Amino acid sequence: MGGIARAHKLHAIIIGGMGDHVHLLLAVPSTIAIGRAVQLIKMGSSSWVRENESKLFQWQEGFAAFSVSQSNLEKVKDYIRDQEIHHRRISFAEEWNALLEKHGITLNRAA
């Protein structure tokens, strides 16, 4: 993913995650929409995984993106770096639902 980011003029600060999700801390230039940046990463990584690991691989539809202030950059890097330890305490689904609730976000899910 870091190589894909570099190829598209994105700066991957740190990338990490677990078997069911990934976190990318990216610096995205103002000339590239965040949705386009995610699309490029997902397309490129899907191709790589299908060629090298599993022909059945698919990303989920959609994504979440959050901006990060310079003052919180180190906290976010630590969070991404420590995913395995973090998810021993709380599952990704539990954390995601709590984050949405905390910020009053309701997802529109297709029936």
Side-chain angles (χ1 to χ4, degrees):
M1 288 183 185
I4 295 164
R6 278 189 301 280
H8 294 287
K9 308 291 190 251
L10 307 168
H11 174 65
I13 298 167
I14 187 170
I15 300 170
M18 301 294 291
D20 61 350
H21 68 282
V22 66
H23 296 279
L24 293 93
L25 181 56
L26 299 173
V28 179
S30 61
T31 56
I32 300 175
I34 292 171
R36 178 66 178 150
V38 173
Q39 181 184 40
L40 293 167
I41 298 286
K42 287 173 97 172
M43 286 184 336
S45 60
S46 289
S47 295
W48 187 91
V49 172
R50 286 184 188 139
E51 289 173 17
N52 296 283
E53 300 291 330
S54 170
K55 302 255 185 252
L56 303 175
F57 178 80
Q58 270 187 284
W59 284 107
Q60 69 179 24
E61 288 188 35
F63 65 92
F66 303 91
S67 60
V68 177
S69 66
Q70 190 68 33
S71 62
N72 282 315
L73 203 57
E74 289 305 314
K75 274 186 183 176
V76 173
K77 286 165 60 175
D78 289 344
Y79 172 80
I80 292 171
R81 191 178 299 112
D82 295 334
Q83 282 293 289
E84 188 175 340
I85 295 164
H86 178 73
H87 286 305
R88 287 184 199 150
R89 292 186 300 254
I90 183 171
S91 74
F92 173 68
E94 292 168 325
E95 180 178 38
W96 178 246
N97 289 330
L99 180 69
L100 293 176
E101 185 176 319
K102 177 180 177 180
H103 295 284
I105 298 170
T106 303
L107 295 180
N108 295 326
R109 297 187 195 269

